[in-house]
Amino acid sequence: MQLTHLCFMLPVDLDEIEQPRQVPGTINKELDMEKEKEKENHRRYHHFIAFIRKSLERFCNHRWVGFCKDFPKHHKQNYAETFQDISGILLSDKLNNNNPRIFSYSELYIGTNGFSEDEILGSGGFGRVYRAVLPSDGTVVAVKCVVEKGDKIEKTFAAELMAVAQLRHRNLVKLRGWCVHENQLLLVYDYMPNRSLDRVLFKQQEKTGIAPLSWETRWKIISGLAGALFYLHEQLETQIIHRDIKTSNVMLDSHYNARLGDFGLARWLDHELQLPTSLPTLTLSTRSQKFRLAETTRIGGTIGYLSPESFQRNTMATAKSDVFSFGIVALEVASGRRAVDLAYPDEQIVLLDWVRQLSDEGMCLKARDLQLPEGSYKGSDIERLMHLGLLCSLNSPQQRPTMKWVVEALSSNFVGELPALPSFQSHPFYISLSSATTTATRTTISTISAASNSSIYFTATEDTMFLTAENGESKSRSDERMKTFISVDTPREISYKELVSATNNFSEDRRVAELDFGTAYHAYLDNHHVLVKRLGMRTCPALRSRFSDELRNLTRLRHRNLVQLRGWCTEQGEMLVVYDYSACQLLSHLLFQHRQENTNLALKWSHRYKIMKSLASAILYLHEEWDEQVIHKNITSSAIILDQNMNPRLSCFALAEFLARNEHGPHVIIDPKKSVQGIFGYMSPEYIQTAEAKTSTDVYSFGVVVLEVVSGRMAVDFRRPEVLLVKKVHEFENQQRSLLELVDGRLDGDYDHKELARLVRLGKACTNSNPELRPSMRQIVSILDGNDSLLKEVQRPENPEEWRNQNGCSLSLIRRIQALGIQ
């Protein structure tokens, strides 16, 4: 046996060594002596490990040693300056656990048993996927291994790494990290126990032992996939086009939740309303790596899922291309059949063309999956999913719906019928077969031409059909290797020296706002405009805890309407948070400041309504669309930062609670010692009484902000007799006065009357004293999109006596403050 690698495995840092347990409150001298002895032994052990580490580092860095080069050149850290929160855990460790990291080849080699054949989960044109058990903590992961390097392979690898590393959605496969080793490129993902959708959906039950997916599970999978695409298309700073939506790229976790993966063909496209050029997009190096669609000339994707326009010259994929592919997957889920299957008769080989024919005959149900047990589904549900799939796969991109509309159509909030389908008799075939074979072995190659062009494609020998040529010609590509490999842009620890220089020593002219227990400064760092929040009261334990919580929470979320964390600093006893820079106007400032001045300073109605729609989308993401359910607990007008295009960014995550999900929903832990935390006037009545935060708590706060936006009045204003804005609204309703009288006078009648009425009624519904009568954030998003019939369902009048009882704590607190003469 030839030895090719020798690895020494030691703790990464001395702080990973378990600290000796302390005996609380002891006064016994013997125990004190024993404790001192333990500390001394612990210090000696530290010195011993440090000596071994330094010796190995010197040994391995000699020129004549050709193995194990993983030691850093400068391994130095000043632990005296490292911030340590109340629980005694290094802040940087907690933050780094939330971000993808670089894995050493040795831990992946050990985890996969030397990349054993027994650990292979699947394979494709890129290479193989292995199951691995990380030796550090026993976590089971999936390792995607690209064996051959080259321009095309490395670009695909880089695109996937850069896309997935910064995405945060419950229906996307989570990236844990990556490794570059000799001629191998490796990506490490969360392990999906139920593999891919195609394996469960199409494999014969008698061969695999896998039971057919129930209709309820299929609906959940297709809804999850729709949510993932909506997130990629509309909920990020830069739109991402996946370009390879198919059942083999839809992974299934232990509860059969859909997790979209394989971003090797993904490309970036700016939104119609572009963010300012000073704001970073998803990654700092997308332009240089040519991952933007405008710089992409080749078709990408899989035959059977590619949209018709993808076959045409000089066209580029759009979000509607992904919508087409989603429509094909929806048809596959409903029928249990592949998009293209040569085992069927000629007229049924192409699933889309066959279902279109059945649609014209009014017989879509004939294409249902016969493996579904009778009585386990409603025929109308299958027809509805097929109808939706056909709408998404219409030939004209303009006629296809958006993924946002699809998500709504799949939810229980959808009201009415789906739009009628056209007659497909005049439509060209999606794929016409010039010579076909239906042999079960699929070993004969068939030439297939698209209806919209004469491009040549071939079938694969297994289960999927892949693009093999463009316009009948094969293009040669240079075999240049990337000289410098990409780096993933994740939040990092920034030195105090850098921030002092960037803010001109926190000069007054760089000061832009007061934010959540701190002062915000504008700075220019890493070629980007950033916002540096410097917290005061640095010795306050409660504030230090809030600082730690906010950083940990923000590293785990990504949405275009959430403030994005760029880094932090804890040197010199400081607590500094660095965000991406948005012109840093607070919504509260625009609504309440200069109220007596010229009405030209008033926030325009179009901006107000757009802000509330975007804010609702961000809160829906927190409540339903991330791996854990997030209760923000601090939704206020002063927590909303606006950029120069009036796009809102929700900030202030120090109080947020993260609730782990399971198959039954979020797992709520009841803590009797929990205290009420939040801003008075935005906290719901039941939260003030019980300190138990739920999604309805955030809905109440959102409703208060809605009323502030409509009225231009603060949630709490002791200069007014009613003090609370929600009380003012309630009194208007009891007096049967029009709630439209609340509108901000500075608008001077310049507003959309229908939108205004909608916002007033929505704000009233969200601030209902009974949490069970408040709408969900998904319903709120639908209402703001114009679904007024849903608003009628959630609106309930409140009895005055019941309202006073429910809000007794708040009203009592107001009386006490007024008695003290505080204004």
Side-chain angles (χ1 to χ4, degrees):
M1 180 179 71
Q2 184 180 2
L3 179 65
T4 58
H5 293 83
L6 176 61
C7 297
F8 299 92
M9 301 189 72
L10 289 173
V12 175
D13 264 316
L14 303 181
D15 299 86
E16 290 189 358
I17 303 169
E18 184 178 357
Q19 297 290 335
R21 296 183 178 180
Q22 297 184 4
V23 181
T26 179
I27 57 174
N28 190 293
K29 291 184 178 180
E30 293 182 1
L31 291 177
D32 288 341
M33 292 176 63
E34 184 66 26
K35 187 167 63 173
E36 289 298 322
K37 187 176 180 181
E38 286 182 11
K39 287 183 178 180
E40 181 62 28
N41 291 337
H42 192 64
R43 282 192 291 269
R44 290 177 181 176
Y45 183 62
H46 275 204
H47 290 308
F48 174 73
I49 291 295
F51 172 76
I52 294 295
R53 184 190 305 280
K54 189 168 292 186
S55 300
L56 285 174
E57 183 176 350
R58 290 172 181 170
F59 173 69
C60 292
N61 284 332
H62 278 300
R63 293 180 181 178
W64 48 268
V65 178
F67 57 86
C68 199
K69 289 278 188 178
D70 288 334
F71 281 103
K73 292 183 179 180
H74 300 287
H75 189 78
K76 184 178 180 181
Q77 184 174 3
N78 187 351
Y79 291 98
E81 295 180 353
T82 301
F83 175 78
Q84 213 165 354
D85 69 15
I86 302 306
S87 58
I89 302 173
L90 283 176
L91 177 65
S92 56
D93 290 345
K94 293 196 294 186
L95 287 172
N96 291 334
N97 286 338
N98 296 321
N99 292 319
R101 66 179 178 89
I102 298 177
F103 283 83
S104 68
Y105 183 77
S106 60
E107 56 185 322
L108 299 183
Y109 187 87
I110 294 171
T112 57
N113 291 325
F115 296 98
S116 167
E117 297 280 339
D118 297 334
E119 301 296 341
I120 294 177
L121 298 174
S123 59
F126 56 84
R128 292 176 171 179
V129 178
Y130 295 86
R131 178 183 179 274
V133 180
L134 297 179
S136 56
D137 57 9
T139 303
V140 181
V141 296
V143 181
K144 183 176 180 178
C145 180
V146 182
V147 177
E148 297 182 3
K149 292 178 72 174
D151 181 62
K152 182 178 179 181
I153 294 295
E154 287 184 342
K155 184 174 180 179
T156 300
F157 176 85
E160 182 164 7
L161 173 58
M162 296 173 72
V164 184
Q166 303 196 50
L167 301 180
R168 304 287 189 272
H169 193 278
R170 63 179 306 195
N171 295 115
L172 296 177
V173 176
K174 180 182 177 182
L175 180 74
R176 286 184 170 268
W178 68 94
C179 173
V180 180
H181 176 75
E182 294 179 354
N183 67 331
Q184 297 186 66
L185 308 172
L186 303 103
L187 290 169
V188 183
Y189 288 100
D190 276 351
Y191 175 68
M192 298 289 112
N194 289 307
R195 311 284 185 89
S196 59
L197 176 58
D198 68 324
R199 178 177 178 271
V200 180
L201 195 60
F202 304 135
K203 299 296 184 182
Q204 296 181 9
Q205 185 180 354
E206 58 272 17
K207 290 185 178 180
T208 62
I210 301 174
L213 289 172
S214 68
W215 180 251
E216 181 182 8
T217 301
R218 296 184 194 214
W219 192 271
K220 179 175 73 170
I221 289 171
I222 205 70
S223 298
L225 176 60
L229 287 173
F230 170 48
Y231 176 73
L232 296 176
H233 291 176
E234 298 188 36
Q235 295 182 284
L236 295 165
E237 297 94 328
T238 304
Q239 187 179 60
I240 292 184
I241 314 300
H242 188 278
R243 300 206 307 160
D244 200 16
I245 305 298
K246 56 185 179 181
T247 49
S248 60
N249 285 340
V250 179
M251 312 306 292
L252 303 175
D253 65 18
S254 57
H255 301 302
Y256 287 93
N257 295 304
R259 300 271 189 165
L260 179 60
D262 199 344
F263 282 73
L265 296 179
R267 293 296 182 266
W268 284 260
L269 185 67
D270 289 329
H271 289 288
E272 291 180 359
L273 291 176
Q274 292 187 10
L275 292 175
T277 55
S278 61
L279 288 176
T281 54
L282 265 179
T283 172
L284 296 177
S285 49
T286 52
R287 292 188 183 274
S288 62
Q289 294 296 337
K290 297 186 179 180
F291 295 138
R292 291 189 174 273
L293 278 163
E295 299 164 345
T296 302
T297 57
R298 290 184 60 83
I299 300 173
T302 304
I303 291 296
Y305 302 92
L306 275 168
S307 60
E309 65 271 17
S310 300
F311 300 117
Q312 300 174 0
R313 290 179 179 269
N314 301 321
T315 60
M316 67 179 187
T318 65
K320 294 299 182 73
S321 306
D322 280 353
V323 173
F324 181 93
S325 304
F326 171 84
I328 301 301
V329 173
L331 295 177
E332 289 182 305
V333 167
S335 66
R337 281 196 39 191
R338 297 182 182 279
V340 179
D341 196 332
L342 300 179
Y344 284 86
D346 287 6
E347 68 276 8
Q348 297 183 22
I349 288 178
V350 181
L351 177 61
L352 177 58
D353 290 334
W354 181 49
V355 176
R356 282 176 172 177
Q357 179 184 345
L358 293 176
S359 173
D360 285 340
E361 299 169 359
M363 300 174 62
C364 274
L365 202 57
K366 185 178 178 181
R368 73 187 185 281
D369 190 350
L370 298 179
Q371 291 189 87
L372 285 169
E374 290 291 338
S376 65
Y377 60 88
K378 293 180 180 179
S380 59
D381 288 342
I382 293 183
E383 289 180 327
R384 180 180 179 85
L385 185 56
M386 288 189 171
H387 189 130
L388 188 61
L390 290 173
L391 283 174
C392 291
S393 55
L394 291 172
N395 274 34
S396 171
Q398 291 75 24
Q399 293 180 340
R400 298 172 204 153
T402 64
M403 287 312 305
K404 182 176 183 179
W405 183 89
V406 172
V407 169
E408 177 72 14
L410 289 168
S411 74
S412 57
N413 296 329
F414 191 80
V415 179
E417 297 295 326
L418 296 175
L421 290 167
S423 170
F424 292 104
Q425 292 181 355
S426 59
H427 278 54
F429 286 110
Y430 170 60
I431 296 177
S432 61
L433 306 179
S434 57
S435 67
T437 177
T438 57
T439 56
T441 57
R442 300 192 181 105
T443 56
T444 305
I445 294 180
S446 306
T447 304
I448 298 177
S449 62
S452 58
N453 206 294
S454 59
S455 304
I456 298 175
Y457 302 89
F458 299 98
T459 62
T461 56
E462 290 296 331
D463 299 322
T464 314
M465 306 178 71
F466 295 94
L467 166 69
T468 57
E470 183 176 3
N471 299 322
E473 302 175 1
S474 61
K475 293 188 177 181
S476 61
R477 297 175 65 92
S478 63
D479 192 32
E480 290 186 8
R481 306 294 175 88
M482 288 192 294
K483 295 179 181 179
T484 56
F485 201 70
I486 61 168
S487 61
V488 176
D489 180 29
T490 55
R492 67 179 179 91
E493 191 164 10
I494 302 170
S495 72
Y496 184 71
K497 183 179 179 181
E498 286 181 87
L499 295 181
V500 167
S501 175
T503 59
N504 193 19
N505 197 20
F506 301 101
S507 63
E508 191 64 25
D509 62 325
R510 294 294 184 93
R511 180 176 172 273
V512 292
E514 296 298 324
L515 285 177
D516 194 26
F517 297 100
T519 304
Y521 298 86
H522 172 228
Y524 194 70
L525 188 70
D526 297 335
N527 298 321
H528 284 277
H529 293 278
V530 296
L531 190 72
V532 181
K533 184 168 79 171
R534 188 185 197 188
L535 275 72
M537 298 186 294
R538 295 178 293 177
T539 59
C540 173
L543 189 58
R544 290 165 68 88
S545 179
R546 284 170 60 92
F547 173 75
S548 172
D549 290 341
E550 180 167 14
L551 290 187
R552 184 177 66 252
N553 294 341
L554 277 176
T555 59
R556 306 159 76 184
L557 304 167
R558 186 120 200 158
H559 188 282
R560 68 184 302 194
N561 296 119
L562 298 179
V563 67
Q564 299 301 316
L565 180 71
R566 182 160 290 276
W568 69 94
C569 175
T570 55
E571 296 177 18
Q572 308 295 327
E574 292 275 3
M575 292 182 287
L576 298 159
V577 191
V578 183
Y579 302 111
D580 283 342
Y581 178 74
S582 307
C584 197
Q585 299 179 86
L586 300 184
L587 176 60
S588 58
H589 180 83
L590 292 179
L591 286 176
F592 312 133
Q593 298 295 327
H594 313 297
R595 185 168 175 79
Q596 305 301 324
E597 298 181 15
N598 195 310
T599 56
N600 290 331
L601 295 175
L603 191 61
K604 294 181 180 179
W605 177 257
S606 59
H607 291 152
R608 298 187 192 212
Y609 196 81
K610 185 179 81 167
I611 288 168
M612 297 320 299
K613 286 185 67 174
S614 300
L615 179 61
S617 175
I619 301 172
L620 175 62
Y621 168 74
L622 297 177
H623 287 183
E624 299 186 24
E625 298 174 351
W626 191 64
D627 279 342
E628 298 178 21
Q629 186 177 76
V630 184
I631 313 298
H632 188 276
K633 293 173 56 180
N634 197 17
I635 298 170
T636 67
S637 54
S638 59
I640 300 167
I641 303 174
L642 304 175
D643 65 23
Q644 47 265 56
N645 289 328
M646 294 299 162
N647 296 310
R649 299 265 186 163
L650 180 61
S651 63
C652 302
F653 277 79
L655 302 181
E657 289 188 18
F658 286 67
L659 306 178
R661 300 181 192 272
N662 54 35
E663 65 271 25
H664 304 297
H667 180 59
V668 181
I669 301 176
I670 299 190
D671 182 4
K673 297 181 180 179
K674 190 179 295 184
S675 60
V676 177
Q677 295 176 312
I679 306 298
F680 182 67
Y682 298 90
M683 294 184 290
S684 63
E686 75 281 359
Y687 175 66
I688 293 176
Q689 294 175 10
T690 66
E692 290 297 326
K694 299 179 181 179
T695 54
S696 57
T697 308
D698 281 351
V699 170
Y700 184 93
S701 302
F702 174 83
V704 175
V705 176
V706 168
L707 296 176
E708 287 184 314
V709 165
V710 168
S711 66
R713 299 184 182 184
M714 293 186 289
V716 179
D717 191 344
F718 280 91
R719 296 171 299 180
R720 298 182 180 275
E722 66 279 350
V723 180
L724 290 176
L725 178 58
V726 289
K727 184 180 179 184
K728 179 71 173 179
V729 173
H730 183 72
E731 289 176 349
F732 263 54
E733 189 176 45
N734 291 337
Q735 297 165 6
Q736 297 184 342
R737 295 171 60 183
S738 172
L739 293 177
L740 299 182
E741 293 181 38
L742 291 168
V743 67
D744 189 347
R746 293 178 299 167
L747 289 170
D748 197 25
D750 187 12
Y751 51 80
D752 184 299
H753 289 264
K754 190 173 182 180
E755 289 180 349
L756 175 64
R758 182 182 298 142
L759 273 190
V760 172
R761 293 164 61 196
L762 179 60
K764 182 67 182 69
C766 291
T767 54
N768 195 303
S769 299
N770 186 346
E772 296 180 1
L773 297 181
R774 297 172 200 152
S776 67
M777 286 311 304
R778 187 167 294 282
Q779 290 175 319
I780 291 170
V781 168
S782 180
I783 290 168
L784 289 171
D785 283 337
N787 190 352
D788 290 324
S789 58
L790 189 59
L791 182 57
K792 294 178 182 177
E793 295 179 14
V794 300
Q795 201 169 20
R796 300 284 189 278
E798 284 194 82
N799 179 280
E801 186 64 29
E802 290 180 357
W803 188 91
R804 283 193 293 271
N805 290 336
Q806 291 286 345
N807 291 272
C809 291
S810 297
L811 298 176
S812 175
L813 180 60
I814 289 172
R815 287 193 295 269
R816 290 182 214 168
I817 294 175
Q818 288 175 329
L820 293 172
I822 300 175
Q823 297 295 322

